[in-house]
Amino acid sequence: MTKEDLSITLQVEQTPFKVYKAINAVDDWWTKIEGAANSTGDTFTVRFGDVYITHRVAELIPCSCVVWEVTDSNVASWLNTRIQFAIGVEGDMTVLLFNHKGMTADAKDYEDCVKGWTKFIKEGLAGLIQVVPVTNEEILERFKTLAAEERWFDIQDDLFSSNVKSIDPPNSPYMGFAEGKAAVRKKGKDFVAKVEEFHGARTSMPVIGGNYIAVGRDMDITGQGFGRIQINEIMLYEVKNGEIVSEQFFY
């Protein structure tokens, strides 16, 4: 008999940011909880009739991973199991891999768990991901955190829409136009690949105005085919429906 853990894969067009926010809104897709599930160390209990299951939030990595440990239950097969949500990006899509670690096919209630989790993940959570509200201010705060750490590809992964556009000035000698999350990421990687030597950079604090985030950035690099150059640019990001739908560079 297989010892593989119960797992479900969900693929959506929405961003990892939306997926992560939806997972943590447990009341809205699973069932009413007693307690809290917003911070590492929080504990919460769910009840289904006479059944109760108590969890501890073991890990929260924004836009990447959520882990709950089952610390108490009157169902033996749930005790000491772990519920994991791993969020990643493949092409233009966000992929959620759900695993109930320790819940294997030899458990008495395995089939019931498969049916239950499939319904809650593919209907409840998937539906919430479509409509979970994300404000421009939340986008800005995530953007600020990643920009301060020079994590520009993570900004693309976490916040860019599946059909995002990337626009450079007309007749730019460096880069052009790309559309779609995978194509925009490739555009960025192609630029990085042309940098032979990085001499330094300065990035301003991102600011928001209406549906736009603006960032000033100066770079001093030696580029393949260009020699040493200084690029002084304004990067403008448009936010729509809780996602970044375009990035535009002015230099």
Side-chain angles (χ1 to χ4, degrees):
M1 184 174 289
T2 180
K3 289 290 186 179
E4 291 183 0
D5 296 310
L6 192 163
S7 64
I8 299 168
T9 300
L10 183 67
Q11 188 175 66
V12 297
E13 289 188 349
Q14 284 66 36
T15 63
F17 190 91
K18 287 186 174 181
V19 173
Y20 181 76
K21 185 174 182 182
I23 291 168
N24 292 313
V26 186
D27 280 340
D28 295 328
W29 66 267
W30 192 10
T31 190
K32 182 68 176 177
I33 68 172
E34 301 168 7
N38 301 312
S39 302
T40 303
D42 281 352
T43 61
F44 67 94
T45 299
V46 298
R47 297 182 186 274
F48 298 94
D50 294 333
V51 172
Y52 72 86
I53 310 159
T54 300
H55 308 74
R56 175 184 174 274
V57 179
E59 192 170 0
L60 288 175
I61 302 176
C63 306
S64 179
C65 184
V66 175
V67 179
W68 305 330
E69 296 175 341
V70 177
T71 58
D72 190 21
S73 177
N74 59 353
V75 179
S77 59
W78 280 72
L79 285 172
N80 301 315
T81 61
R82 289 166 62 91
I83 297 165
Q84 302 181 356
F85 304 82
I87 307 167
V89 174
E90 293 183 8
D92 297 335
M93 307 292 284
T94 299
V95 177
L96 171 64
L97 178 59
F98 169 87
N99 276 289
H100 191 160
K101 296 289 187 180
M103 180 59 70
T104 57
D106 55 354
K108 181 178 179 180
D109 57 347
Y110 176 79
E111 292 300 329
D112 288 338
C113 284
V114 171
K115 292 176 183 177
W117 278 128
T118 299
K119 179 178 176 64
F120 286 122
I121 298 297
K122 293 200 171 183
E123 295 181 23
L125 182 55
L128 182 60
I129 291 168
Q130 302 288 331
V131 299
V132 64
V134 175
T135 68
N136 289 0
E137 288 72 21
E138 288 176 312
I139 296 291
L140 177 62
E141 287 307 306
R142 182 63 178 164
F143 190 106
K144 282 181 178 178
T145 297
L146 297 175
E149 299 173 2
E150 296 285 322
R151 294 166 59 187
W152 300 102
F153 287 123
D154 287 338
I155 288 175
Q156 293 180 350
D157 282 349
D158 291 358
L159 304 175
F160 279 18
S161 69
S162 61
N163 59 350
V164 64
K165 297 178 175 64
S166 182
I167 309 164
D168 275 60
N171 303 316
S172 167
Y174 309 122
M175 301 298 293
F177 175 85
E179 183 172 0
K181 199 163 188 171
V184 170
R185 171 176 267 277
K186 182 179 184 302
K187 176 186 173 184
K189 285 189 172 183
D190 287 346
F191 177 79
V192 170
K194 293 179 181 179
V195 177
E196 296 178 337
E197 190 171 356
F198 183 80
H199 306 290
R202 181 193 63 83
T203 304
S204 73
M205 179 67 70
V207 296
I208 192 167
N211 292 325
Y212 292 89
I213 298 172
V215 187
R217 184 164 169 81
D218 301 329
M219 288 188 294
D220 184 1
I221 61 174
T222 297
Q224 183 180 1
F226 299 105
R228 186 163 180 172
I229 54 175
Q230 288 78 42
I231 300 178
N232 310 110
E233 63 184 352
I234 297 293
M235 305 185 292
L236 188 66
Y237 300 84
E238 183 181 2
V239 181
K240 186 176 181 181
N241 297 326
E243 302 175 334
I244 292 176
V245 298
S246 71
E247 61 175 8
Q248 190 163 5
F249 303 95
F250 301 88
Y251 50 81

